[in-house]
Amino acid sequence: MSLDLTDITLTYPDGEARLTALDRVTLAVPSGSLTAVAGPSGSGKSSLLAVAATLIAPDTGTVTINGGDVTGLSRAERAGLRRREIGIVFQQPNLLPSLTAVEQLQVMAQIDGRSPAKATGRARDLLDAVGLAAYERRRPHQLSGGQRQRVNIARALMNEPSVLLIDEPTSALDHERGAAVIDLIARLTREWATATVLVTHDKTHLGAADQIAEVRDGRIASQALC
Ligand code: ADP
Ligand code: MG
């Protein structure tokens, strides 16, 4: 189980020309390990996550999940893959305002065609794992920013993904709460054996990572195992 990006190039239309957002990027993320992707704004970090998430097809290169090349899959096949194999956490926790914490997680099982009631056990286990067992009946407006981000992370794990992709999860949090969320991501990565990519521009978060990749101008400028 792993995520492998091999020789990925991605361009966007830019007037008459093309802007190269990713330039021959290769990155291997084994399961149960956390790769931090750092780099300045505009360097291509979110583009890298979008390609890994199969949300954007690269111009060239391959994305491999659990040993299978996913680059050639149809739109419907990619949507199915995202539901079952890929957990995605964006910067802002986009929780549904009317649902309680446990319901936010149950909905993910329902979207995947499973019974929300049968998914309750896993939803509770995950809320417990992110330290929110006592908050399962709260709605988003009754939770703090840090708690909402924890629900968001738990939700991403609901369908037992093998890949977890997280984009700057602490940008709306103060430093202490941010550090706690990063520690949580490192722990969940090991416990649930996900191949995790964490985009961050906060260097103090890099200590939790097993691998650090620095992106500059769409290229991996440096890569180190920790
Ligand atoms: P980061 O997440 O590191 O800030 P991005 O991956 O968002 O970087 O962006 C990399 C480059 O690609 C930037 O120059 C950005 O302006 C450009 N870019 C990102 N998304 C698009 C898009 N949808 N269309 C055109 N250009 C884009
Ligand atoms: Mg970004």
Side-chain angles (χ1 to χ4, degrees):
M1 307 272 262
S2 61
L3 165 70
D4 289 280
L5 305 180
T6 310
D7 217 16
I8 298 286
T9 293
L10 173 71
T11 64
Y12 293 114
D14 181 27
E16 302 285 282
R18 313 270 314 170
L19 181 148
T20 302
L22 296 173
D23 189 5
R24 287 162 290 161
V25 166
T26 293
L27 191 63
V29 185
S31 77
S33 79
L34 176 61
T35 293
V37 172
S41 176
S43 58
K45 304 183 298 299
S46 293
S47 297
L48 188 153
L49 277 198
V51 168
T54 76
L55 289 166
I56 306 182
D59 299 36
T60 56
T62 52
V63 179
T64 310
I65 292 178
N66 301 336
D69 181 354
V70 303
T71 347
L73 298 182
S74 70
R75 183 182 286 264
E77 286 168 331
R78 280 185 280 127
L81 183 79
R82 280 197 296 277
R83 276 200 304 277
R84 287 183 295 274
E85 296 297 336
I86 306 175
I88 306 176
V89 176
F90 292 111
Q91 249 162 293
Q92 296 298 333
N94 50 338
L95 301 174
L96 299 163
S98 62
L99 298 187
T100 64
V102 74
E103 287 166 351
Q104 310 277 349
L105 274 65
Q106 288 171 307
V107 157
M108 297 306 285
Q110 198 169 12
I111 289 171
D112 196 33
R114 290 180 288 130
S115 146
K118 282 193 188 145
T120 307
R122 182 171 173 83
R124 291 212 167 112
D125 285 350
L126 279 165
L127 286 177
D128 190 27
V130 301
L132 292 178
Y135 296 80
E136 65 166 68
R137 300 170 79 91
R138 298 244 187 137
R139 295 177 211 285
H141 74 274
Q142 299 166 316
L143 296 168
S144 71
Q147 289 169 335
R148 282 199 288 268
Q149 194 55 290
R150 284 165 185 268
V151 174
N152 199 19
I153 291 165
R155 182 177 60 173
L157 288 166
M158 191 58 200
N159 290 343
E160 300 175 57
S162 42
V163 173
L164 185 59
L165 305 171
I166 310 182
D167 200 351
E168 308 211 26
T170 63
S171 51
L173 306 179
D174 63 39
H175 186 78
E176 203 173 319
R177 273 169 238 272
V181 163
I182 300 297
D183 287 347
L184 172 68
I185 289 166
R187 182 165 59 76
L188 293 173
T189 295
R190 275 160 214 127
E191 277 177 24
W192 302 80
T194 52
T196 304
V197 181
L198 167 69
V199 165
T200 177
H201 64 239
D202 186 340
K203 299 239 168 184
T204 65
H205 294 155
L206 301 181
D210 301 297
Q211 173 175 228
I212 299 169
E214 178 140 22
V215 184
R216 270 180 202 278
D217 295 331
R219 294 195 186 151
I220 305 272
S222 74
Q223 198 168 353
L225 294 173
C226 312

